[in-house]
Amino acid sequence: MSTQQSTVRHRVIHTGNRLGASLYRHSGGRIGGHGTGGTRVILVTVPGRRTGLPHTTPVGSFPYQGGLLVVGSGSASPQEPDWFRNLRKAARAEVQIGKETYAAGIRVLTGAERDSAFHDVVVAQVPRYGTYEAKCGRPMPLAVLTRLPS
């Protein structure tokens, strides 16, 4: 993919995410709240790693160990998505599920736990993630978002 194509793709994804987040937020999750394979779409807001400004991204989630498992698929891009890089640097995230919003702790999965969660939870529910990972040529990062006490 050329640099120009990559830039255009990035802008299209960014614009789509902003529109999707807006529709989700204003409809309380009625629009955009369900993803492929029965996944629940949530909004994740974290500060940008360079600017510190909040960025909100709609992402599919899977119930996992009392929290929500999210996947940095980047639509099978060879690079980790910006939202996940921001998530890695954040101390906590804001999660919106439907009309409910709460603060969540972030734990990025690694090693055998990451591999097991990817295959036993993510690919088991949405097999295309296995194809995405093979196509992008990188392990897709996973994180668990766990509700923090109020």
Side-chain angles (χ1 to χ4, degrees):
M1 181 180 299
S2 74
T3 303
Q4 183 179 6
Q5 287 172 322
S6 179
T7 301
V8 169
R9 183 177 191 269
H10 179 77
R11 285 183 184 157
V12 167
I13 290 170
H14 179 73
T15 301
N17 282 344
R18 285 182 39 199
L19 176 61
S22 179
L23 289 170
Y24 185 108
R25 185 169 280 131
H26 287 92
S27 72
R30 287 188 317 276
I31 299 172
H34 300 283
T36 304
T39 59
R40 182 72 192 251
V41 175
I42 63 173
L43 297 183
V44 177
T45 303
V46 294
R49 61 194 180 285
R50 291 183 292 228
T51 66
L53 298 173
H55 292 277
T56 301
T57 306
V59 297
S61 66
F62 303 83
Y64 183 77
Q65 296 183 350
L68 296 171
L69 184 67
V70 293
V71 183
S73 70
S75 299
S77 169
Q79 296 176 343
E80 188 172 278
D82 287 339
W83 73 266
F84 203 94
R85 285 188 264 168
N86 291 338
L87 189 75
R88 282 186 190 280
K89 298 287 185 181
R92 58 187 244 172
E94 178 183 281
V95 172
Q96 181 175 343
I97 302 174
K99 294 179 182 180
E100 180 185 18
T101 301
Y102 60 87
I106 302 163
R107 184 170 67 88
V108 176
L109 303 185
T110 59
E113 182 183 22
R114 180 259 168 223
D115 295 343
S116 175
F118 184 73
H119 294 289
D120 298 344
V121 177
V122 177
V123 174
Q125 289 184 44
V126 185
R128 74 181 165 112
Y129 276 104
T131 305
Y132 273 10
E133 186 172 78
K135 180 181 175 185
C136 72
R138 63 174 170 84
M140 290 185 180
L142 304 179
V144 179
L145 306 176
T146 307
R147 183 188 298 259
L148 295 173
S150 307

